[in-house]
Amino acid sequence: MAPRGVAPILPLALALTAVAAVSWARGPSGTLWSRQGCAALGRCCPGRDPTCAARGPPRCFCDQACREVRDCCPDYARACPAVSCVVAEWSGWSRCVKPCQVSYRLRQRHVLQEPRNGGAPCPPLEERAGCVEYWSHQGVECQQSLLPALITTGSYGKEREKRGVPKKQETIGYCVQFRLGPVPGSCQQVRAPHAQWTRYLTQGHTVCVRCEWPAQDARSRRCYGDGGGAGGHQLSLWQAAGHPRCRGTWERLGQLRDCSCPEVHSLVFL
């Protein structure tokens, strides 16, 4: 016969042993020991992957969707940190895809680091901007005129190459001032970063448009659509390069040697 008080102690000792075993398996504060969790699994899976589960109990997951489902292993954030996409710098702009007509140029960048574990996705890897080239890819000057007047932001004039132009002629040019007529709402509806300038076109505002090589005609040294042959107060047409629905009319105010408009209203003929 066991001494008095021994029998009640045995069940209590067994219960304490079971609690200790569970605590040993999970570690302090509910954390997992090295034999459990994402670190032990050695995998961090994209999307929802039922096979990307760590040993239990309890069973937990190391896939990207576990954050939404809320069944991640306790060490998921440490073992599977979010890695955002990293891209390279933009390349230089290409030549116009199609010479002797309204076309577009390209610039691209590539992915250096793919996103993982819910990191930020990659931004666009290609951009396009309207342009015109007056020489074919074989170096032959284009002969046809382009109407209406094609315009783009003045910064394009600094970027484009002046192929086949003698040094002394690079600086020969002129500026034409126009007063804008009605501007369609489509000019405000633009997403491309290099077409944002069309959002500043407003009826009644004065814009300065630079005419320079290579947009000048080889014989007349004038730009197509500059309004030089129109009578006083006669309206002519313009169109934003790379944004065909952004077009309208303007009134020629006069010709100057240099442009003096604010940057957002400084344009260039194409």
Side-chain angles (χ1 to χ4, degrees):
M1 183 175 181
R4 181 179 299 177
V6 172
I9 292 176
L10 288 176
L12 178 60
L14 293 174
L16 291 175
T17 300
V19 170
V22 172
S23 299
W24 178 85
R26 295 195 61 82
S29 303
T31 59
L32 299 172
W33 294 107
S34 60
R35 65 177 181 173
Q36 294 180 300
C38 300
L41 181 64
R43 295 173 60 196
C44 298
C45 310
R48 185 57 173 171
D49 187 347
T51 67
C52 197
R55 294 175 57 187
R59 194 182 188 204
C60 58
F61 292 84
C62 304
D63 56 6
Q64 183 179 333
C66 73
R67 291 182 181 272
E68 299 178 4
V69 183
R70 298 184 180 181
D71 58 0
C72 297
C73 293
D75 68 340
Y76 176 79
R78 183 180 72 257
C80 305
V83 178
S84 297
C85 179
V86 179
V87 296
E89 295 294 325
W90 286 110
S91 68
W93 286 104
S94 70
R95 295 185 60 176
C96 291
V97 174
K98 296 180 180 180
C100 301
Q101 60 179 289
V102 181
S103 183
Y104 61 89
R105 53 190 175 138
L106 296 170
R107 68 175 185 173
Q108 299 174 320
R109 54 187 174 184
H110 60 275
V111 176
L112 299 176
Q113 171 66 63
E114 294 283 356
R116 299 198 310 267
N117 308 326
C122 294
L125 301 179
E126 181 179 286
E127 282 188 345
R128 298 185 178 188
C131 66
V132 172
E133 283 189 3
Y134 290 85
W135 284 269
S136 70
H137 291 164
Q138 291 73 37
V140 179
E141 185 176 4
C142 308
Q143 297 299 318
Q144 74 273 24
S145 63
L146 295 166
L147 292 173
L150 292 169
I151 56 174
T152 189
T153 176
S155 62
Y156 176 64
K158 302 174 184 178
E159 297 172 6
R160 64 180 169 187
E161 299 179 29
K162 299 174 175 61
R163 286 177 287 275
V165 181
K167 273 288 183 181
K168 64 180 181 180
Q169 292 181 323
E170 285 189 4
T171 57
I172 298 176
Y174 57 91
C175 180
V176 184
Q177 286 187 323
F178 295 92
R179 180 182 294 113
L180 291 171
V183 177
S186 56
C187 295
Q188 312 295 322
Q189 301 168 0
V190 58
R191 295 183 180 179
H194 287 82
Q196 295 296 314
W197 63 273
T198 62
R199 302 177 65 180
Y200 298 99
L201 299 176
T202 305
Q203 182 176 358
H205 282 191
T206 299
V207 295
C208 297
V209 189
R210 180 77 181 169
C211 175
E212 59 187 5
W213 288 84
Q216 288 174 316
D217 178 76
R219 295 174 295 276
S220 68
R221 292 190 178 181
R222 303 200 68 85
C223 289
Y224 301 118
D226 72 351
H233 304 290
Q234 184 173 341
L235 298 179
S236 55
L237 301 174
W238 60 267
Q239 177 182 320
H243 193 347
R245 294 188 300 115
C246 182
R247 58 195 307 166
T249 59
W250 56 15
E251 177 189 352
R252 180 186 170 103
L253 300 179
Q255 180 175 319
L256 305 171
R257 179 177 178 179
D258 299 306
C259 293
S260 58
C261 291
E263 183 177 357
V264 293
H265 292 152
S266 295
L267 310 174
V268 65
F269 286 107
L270 289 178

